[in-house]
Amino acid sequence: YELTCRDWSSDVCSSDLLRYLAQAVAEGLRCVPSRTSYCVGAVVALPDGRSFTGYTHETSPTHHAEQEAIRKALDAGAELRGAAIYSSMEPCSQRKSEPESCTQLILRHGFARVVFALYEPDRFVCCRGAQTLREAGVDVRVYPELAEGVRRANAHLGR
């Protein structure tokens, strides 16, 4: 993907940031399409350089991509406070299948930054993940330049 960093400092908009987001978009393409959920990919990136990936329904029919990546990081003993999470789509703010949304999970673990490519359409629920995260003081970045890959992963849902 050819992206440029317009108004952000070099520490915020680095080649690593764009690489992790592109990786999250690619993870979303690994999902088995479902008519009741989006195909999403996620990457948890730790300050120590380790990263963990996940995609929707990777290990459970109710797990979202962010849950999958966070679970792998926690299983590896990672400290998530101050980490970044990259998701192909805006983290959910409301769940029908589980009690905790991905937004709540991100806040509970103290992530400092959330980066995604596409706002969640109001198809299943009215998502307000980015707004909730920003209001809680999380640095939220959106790169719509990568949204086409997310749309491709979710073509089974129509427009």
Side-chain angles (χ1 to χ4, degrees), residues 64 66-67 70 85 87 89-95 99-111 114 116 120 125-138 140:
H64 286 186
E66 296 90 342
Q67 283 177 285
I70 288 170
I85 189 162
S87 183
M89 190 176 283
E90 176 183 18
C92 71
S93 60
Q94 186 179 356
R95 292 290 297 270
E100 187 175 45
S101 71
C102 292
T103 294
Q104 292 166 325
L105 184 65
I106 288 165
L107 290 172
R108 180 164 58 86
H109 286 290
F111 281 84
V114 174
F116 63 91
E120 181 178 322
V125 298
C126 184
C127 186
R128 298 296 174 256
Q131 177 182 340
T132 302
L133 292 163
R134 284 185 181 113
E135 288 170 355
V138 176
V140 176

Side-chain angles (χ1 to χ4, degrees), residues 3 14 44 46 51 56-57 59 64 72 76 85 90 92 104 110 113 116 119 127 130 140 146:
L3 296 180
S14 67
V44 169
L46 303 177
S51 65
T56 303
H57 303 163
T59 65
H64 286 186
K72 290 176 188 174
I85 189 162
E90 176 183 18
C92 71
Q104 292 166 325
R113 179 175 298 148
F116 63 91
Y119 283 94
C127 186
V140 176
L146 291 180

Side-chain angles (χ1 to χ4, degrees), residues 18-102:
L18 301 176
R19 180 175 51 83
Y20 285 134
L21 184 55
Q23 186 178 9
V25 171
E27 284 292 313
L29 293 168
R30 298 180 63 191
C31 298
V32 175
S34 164
R35 58 184 180 76
T36 60
S37 63
Y38 291 108
C39 291
V40 177
V43 178
V44 169
L46 303 177
D48 68 9
R50 291 184 295 161
S51 65
F52 303 87
T53 63
Y55 58 89
T56 303
H57 303 163
E58 183 177 357
T59 65
S60 165
T62 64
H63 285 182
H64 286 186
E66 296 90 342
Q67 283 177 285
E68 296 282 4
I70 288 170
R71 180 193 49 79
K72 290 176 188 174
L74 291 173
D75 287 352
E79 167 57 48
L80 300 178
R81 187 156 307 285
I85 189 162
Y86 300 82
S87 183
S88 59
M89 190 176 283
E90 176 183 18
C92 71
S93 60
Q94 186 179 356
R95 292 290 297 270
K96 293 182 179 181
S97 60
E98 294 201 7
E100 187 175 45
S101 71
C102 292

